[in-house]
Every structure is written in C-alpha cells, then in structure tokens.
Amino acid sequence: MTTAPIYRRPVGELLRQWREHRRLSQLDLSIQAEISTRHVSFLETGRSKPSRDMILHLSEHLDIPLRERNHLLLAAGYAPVYSESTLGSPQMVAVREAIGKLLAGHEPYPAVVVDRGWNLVDANAGIALLAEGISPDLLANVLRASLHPDGLAPRIANLGEWRAHLLGRLKRQIGLTGDSGLAELYAELRGYPCDQPEPEVEVPGPGDILVPLRLRQADRELSFFSVMATFGTPLDITVAELMIESFFPADEETSRFLRGA
C-alpha cells in the first residue's frame, strides 16, 4: 500500500488492495461486513460503484486509517469526510489542553507527543534528559534522534535490544497504515550502525517484564519503560495520528535521580 495520490486509481482496486493487505479473502470480508461475496467482488472489479456509506462501512471493517478513508472517498468521486485540523486551530482547544495536562502532570519524567511520522509535536521539560547534546535537526524526529549515531544511540547501553524494539514497532505501524513514508523511514533507520546484536524475538530474562531503555548518564545508568497513548474516539485525522509516549523509571535508582534532578 502507499499513501501517494491513490485516489486517482479506481476505488475498487484500492478496496481490493486493502483487503489483501489485511490478508482477508472476499468471503472473510463479506462475513465481517455482512454483505454478499458477490457484492464484494462487483465492488472490487468496478461492476458496482460503492455508495459513500458502503465505503465507510468497509473501511471500518478493514480498519483503514482515517487519512486513507478520505483517499477512498475521493477515488469514488465523493468529498472527504474526515477533517485534518492544525493543532493550533480553535476547534482543537480541548485537545491541546488535554495534551498540556498530560505532559505537565508527567514531570519530572520525560514525555513526548509525536505525529504519524514520529515527528516531534510537543514535549515536557523532562525530555531535556534524553535530548541532551542532540541537534535540533535530529530532534525533529524522535526515531532518528533515538537511533542516529549523533543522537541518543551512543548513550543507550542496550542499543541492540532497544533498536530492535523500535524497528519492530515501526514495522507493525507500516503494516497497519501501508504508509510509504514510514517504509522509507524504516529503511533509513535500518541503515544506521549498531555494534550490538539485535534480537529477532524479545525473550525476557529472569524477572524481566518489559523491554527497558537503559541510558548512560554520567557515572550511572538510568532505566526506563514507556507507555504509548492515543485518543480513543478520533474523528479528525490530526487527532487520530497523535501519539503520546510517556517514559517511567524502571527502577528505584532512576526514580530517585529524576525526582532529585
């Protein structure tokens, strides 16, 4: 899948690609969407034109992101349904306030807000610990800032493990969205050097319950785990694509250091 101007292609072809991307047969989709297999076939081959409501109905069952649902509507000759507001627009006041409270309330622990491409949207004061010494150009994208040799990577004690975790998460996101831009970012990140083994499968050691970010800080090593949060009922593309990553101390020593700092 790709998010290039796909609305110039027939809507039936796009529906078929999304169905195949989700590894569903026409029968699987027809059962989930409660329509006939014959109708699914006719829609995909162009023998029937889907209504606006049918496109939205199938998009829901195919778990298609809001941005791509608009592309499907355009391909069928309909106007987009989902808005894409800037975070600074008046209708986003409640969203901005919620983000601000989450970020401030999480201090002194680090937290960042990113968009679908992992570009930095906002952060709290606690992120200064992770951003120390990293150029603004790299900080513009948190995955680049994390894995680039001029970024956080030299300070990550378990770089191979953390890198495998981040790349695995990004790969799953590509599978969900079909975003070619994310695929390019993945290829770029894979090209960054790493002198540690990268586990293909995250197997826990004795007592492990999470993959930690182990960060060298002066004469100590700090340990974090992160929690990802998204908005639960988004109807706007910008809101749907925002992610808040909050870092928590994984041990008491890290907690004491952050509270003291």
Side-chain angles (χ1 to χ4, degrees), residues 106 108-110 210 222-226 246-259:
H106 195 63
Y109 307 146
L210 295 161
L222 305 179
S223 184
F224 299 89
F225 66 89
S226 70
S246 305
F247 290 86
F248 290 84
D251 55 40
E252 185 57 33
E253 180 182 355
T254 302
S255 181
R256 284 197 302 269
F257 174 81
L258 291 173
R259 291 198 301 268

Short mmCIF file of all heavy atoms in Angstrom, two decimals, residues 106 108-110 210 222-226 246-259:
data_model
loop_
_atom_site.label_atom_id
_atom_site.label_comp_id
_atom_site.label_asym_id
_atom_site.label_seq_id
_atom_site.Cartn_x
_atom_site.Cartn_y
_atom_site.Cartn_z
N HIS A 106 3.12 14.64 34.00
CA HIS A 106 4.07 13.53 33.97
C HIS A 106 5.45 13.94 34.47
O HIS A 106 6.30 13.07 34.75
CB HIS A 106 4.17 12.97 32.55
CG HIS A 106 4.84 11.64 32.49
ND1 HIS A 106 4.33 10.50 33.08
CD2 HIS A 106 6.01 11.24 31.90
CE1 HIS A 106 5.15 9.48 32.85
NE2 HIS A 106 6.16 9.90 32.14
N PRO A 108 8.48 14.90 36.87
CA PRO A 108 9.75 15.15 36.16
C PRO A 108 10.13 14.08 35.14
O PRO A 108 11.23 14.12 34.60
CB PRO A 108 10.76 15.18 37.30
CG PRO A 108 10.22 14.17 38.26
CD PRO A 108 8.73 14.33 38.21
N TYR A 109 9.24 13.11 34.89
CA TYR A 109 9.57 12.06 33.93
C TYR A 109 9.36 12.57 32.50
O TYR A 109 8.47 13.38 32.25
CB TYR A 109 8.71 10.82 34.18
CG TYR A 109 8.75 10.32 35.60
CD1 TYR A 109 7.62 9.74 36.18
CD2 TYR A 109 9.90 10.44 36.38
CE1 TYR A 109 7.64 9.28 37.49
CE2 TYR A 109 9.93 9.99 37.69
CZ TYR A 109 8.80 9.41 38.24
OH TYR A 109 8.83 8.96 39.53
N PRO A 110 10.14 12.09 31.54
CA PRO A 110 10.04 12.58 30.16
C PRO A 110 8.76 12.11 29.46
O PRO A 110 8.26 11.00 29.71
CB PRO A 110 11.27 11.97 29.46
CG PRO A 110 12.16 11.48 30.57
CD PRO A 110 11.27 11.14 31.71
N LEU A 210 9.31 -6.04 30.95
CA LEU A 210 9.26 -5.03 29.90
C LEU A 210 10.64 -4.88 29.27
O LEU A 210 11.65 -5.20 29.90
CB LEU A 210 8.82 -3.66 30.47
CG LEU A 210 7.41 -3.55 31.04
CD1 LEU A 210 7.32 -2.34 31.96
CD2 LEU A 210 6.38 -3.44 29.93
N LEU A 222 20.58 4.85 33.89
CA LEU A 222 19.16 5.03 34.18
C LEU A 222 18.36 4.03 33.34
O LEU A 222 18.75 3.69 32.23
CB LEU A 222 18.73 6.45 33.85
CG LEU A 222 19.52 7.57 34.53
CD1 LEU A 222 19.00 8.94 34.09
CD2 LEU A 222 19.48 7.44 36.05
N SER A 223 17.24 3.60 33.87
CA SER A 223 16.42 2.59 33.19
C SER A 223 14.98 3.07 33.11
O SER A 223 14.39 3.51 34.11
CB SER A 223 16.49 1.27 33.96
OG SER A 223 15.79 0.26 33.28
N PHE A 224 14.41 3.01 31.89
CA PHE A 224 13.05 3.49 31.64
C PHE A 224 12.23 2.43 30.91
O PHE A 224 12.77 1.59 30.20
CB PHE A 224 13.06 4.75 30.76
CG PHE A 224 13.79 5.92 31.33
CD1 PHE A 224 15.15 6.10 31.10
CD2 PHE A 224 13.12 6.88 32.08
CE1 PHE A 224 15.82 7.19 31.61
CE2 PHE A 224 13.78 7.98 32.59
CZ PHE A 224 15.14 8.13 32.36
N PHE A 225 10.92 2.51 31.08
CA PHE A 225 10.00 1.86 30.15
C PHE A 225 9.01 2.93 29.71
O PHE A 225 8.87 3.98 30.34
CB PHE A 225 9.28 0.65 30.78
CG PHE A 225 8.34 1.00 31.90
CD1 PHE A 225 7.01 1.31 31.65
CD2 PHE A 225 8.78 1.00 33.23
CE1 PHE A 225 6.14 1.61 32.69
CE2 PHE A 225 7.92 1.31 34.27
CZ PHE A 225 6.59 1.61 34.00
N SER A 226 8.34 2.68 28.58
CA SER A 226 7.45 3.71 28.04
C SER A 226 6.04 3.18 27.87
O SER A 226 5.80 1.98 27.72
CB SER A 226 7.97 4.25 26.71
OG SER A 226 7.86 3.27 25.69
N SER A 246 5.07 8.29 27.07
CA SER A 246 5.47 8.70 28.41
C SER A 246 6.48 7.70 28.96
O SER A 246 6.23 6.49 28.94
CB SER A 246 4.25 8.78 29.34
OG SER A 246 3.25 9.61 28.81
N PHE A 247 7.59 8.21 29.44
CA PHE A 247 8.64 7.35 30.00
C PHE A 247 8.55 7.33 31.52
O PHE A 247 8.40 8.37 32.16
CB PHE A 247 10.02 7.85 29.57
CG PHE A 247 10.30 7.66 28.10
CD1 PHE A 247 9.90 8.61 27.17
CD2 PHE A 247 10.94 6.52 27.65
CE1 PHE A 247 10.15 8.43 25.83
CE2 PHE A 247 11.20 6.33 26.30
CZ PHE A 247 10.80 7.29 25.38
N PHE A 248 8.65 6.13 32.07
CA PHE A 248 8.60 5.93 33.52
C PHE A 248 9.89 5.28 33.99
O PHE A 248 10.51 4.50 33.25
CB PHE A 248 7.43 5.01 33.89
CG PHE A 248 6.07 5.62 33.69
CD1 PHE A 248 5.46 5.60 32.44
CD2 PHE A 248 5.39 6.21 34.75
CE1 PHE A 248 4.21 6.15 32.24
CE2 PHE A 248 4.12 6.76 34.57
CZ PHE A 248 3.53 6.73 33.31
N PRO A 249 10.31 5.58 35.21
CA PRO A 249 11.50 4.90 35.73
C PRO A 249 11.23 3.42 35.94
O PRO A 249 10.18 3.03 36.45
CB PRO A 249 11.75 5.61 37.08
CG PRO A 249 10.44 6.23 37.45
CD PRO A 249 9.75 6.56 36.16
N ALA A 250 12.19 2.58 35.51
CA ALA A 250 12.03 1.14 35.63
C ALA A 250 12.64 0.61 36.92
O ALA A 250 12.51 -0.59 37.21
CB ALA A 250 12.66 0.43 34.43
N ASP A 251 13.32 1.47 37.67
CA ASP A 251 13.87 1.04 38.97
C ASP A 251 13.89 2.23 39.91
O ASP A 251 13.71 3.38 39.51
CB ASP A 251 15.27 0.42 38.81
CG ASP A 251 16.25 1.34 38.09
OD1 ASP A 251 16.23 2.57 38.36
OD2 ASP A 251 17.05 0.84 37.27
N GLU A 252 14.13 1.94 41.17
CA GLU A 252 14.07 2.98 42.20
C GLU A 252 15.21 3.99 42.05
O GLU A 252 15.04 5.17 42.31
CB GLU A 252 14.11 2.33 43.59
CG GLU A 252 13.94 3.32 44.73
CD GLU A 252 12.66 4.13 44.65
OE1 GLU A 252 11.64 3.61 44.16
OE2 GLU A 252 12.68 5.32 45.07
N GLU A 253 16.38 3.54 41.63
CA GLU A 253 17.51 4.46 41.46
C GLU A 253 17.19 5.54 40.42
O GLU A 253 17.49 6.72 40.62
CB GLU A 253 18.76 3.69 41.05
CG GLU A 253 19.98 4.60 40.87
CD GLU A 253 21.21 3.82 40.40
OE1 GLU A 253 21.15 2.59 40.31
OE2 GLU A 253 22.24 4.48 40.13
N THR A 254 16.59 5.12 39.29
CA THR A 254 16.20 6.08 38.25
C THR A 254 15.14 7.04 38.78
O THR A 254 15.19 8.24 38.52
CB THR A 254 15.67 5.34 37.02
OG1 THR A 254 16.68 4.45 36.54
CG2 THR A 254 15.28 6.32 35.92
N SER A 255 14.20 6.51 39.54
CA SER A 255 13.14 7.36 40.10
C SER A 255 13.72 8.41 41.04
O SER A 255 13.36 9.59 40.97
CB SER A 255 12.13 6.48 40.85
OG SER A 255 11.10 7.27 41.39
N ARG A 256 14.64 8.01 41.91
CA ARG A 256 15.26 8.97 42.84
C ARG A 256 16.06 10.03 42.09
O ARG A 256 16.00 11.22 42.43
CB ARG A 256 16.19 8.23 43.82
CG ARG A 256 15.47 7.47 44.91
CD ARG A 256 16.43 7.12 46.05
NE ARG A 256 17.55 6.34 45.58
CZ ARG A 256 17.57 5.00 45.55
NH1 ARG A 256 16.53 4.31 45.97
NH2 ARG A 256 18.64 4.37 45.12
N PHE A 257 16.78 9.60 41.05
CA PHE A 257 17.59 10.56 40.27
C PHE A 257 16.69 11.61 39.61
O PHE A 257 16.98 12.80 39.66
CB PHE A 257 18.40 9.82 39.21
CG PHE A 257 19.15 10.73 38.29
CD1 PHE A 257 20.36 11.28 38.67
CD2 PHE A 257 18.63 11.07 37.03
CE1 PHE A 257 21.05 12.15 37.81
CE2 PHE A 257 19.32 11.92 36.19
CZ PHE A 257 20.53 12.46 36.56
N LEU A 258 15.59 11.18 38.99
CA LEU A 258 14.71 12.11 38.29
C LEU A 258 14.02 13.05 39.27
O LEU A 258 13.86 14.24 38.98
CB LEU A 258 13.70 11.33 37.47
CG LEU A 258 14.25 10.58 36.26
CD1 LEU A 258 13.17 9.72 35.63
CD2 LEU A 258 14.84 11.53 35.25
N ARG A 259 13.59 12.55 40.40
CA ARG A 259 12.94 13.42 41.38
C ARG A 259 13.92 14.43 41.94
O ARG A 259 13.57 15.59 42.17
CB ARG A 259 12.33 12.58 42.49
CG ARG A 259 11.13 11.73 42.07
CD ARG A 259 10.31 11.29 43.29
NE ARG A 259 11.11 10.52 44.21
CZ ARG A 259 11.22 9.18 44.19
NH1 ARG A 259 10.57 8.49 43.25
NH2 ARG A 259 11.97 8.56 45.08
#
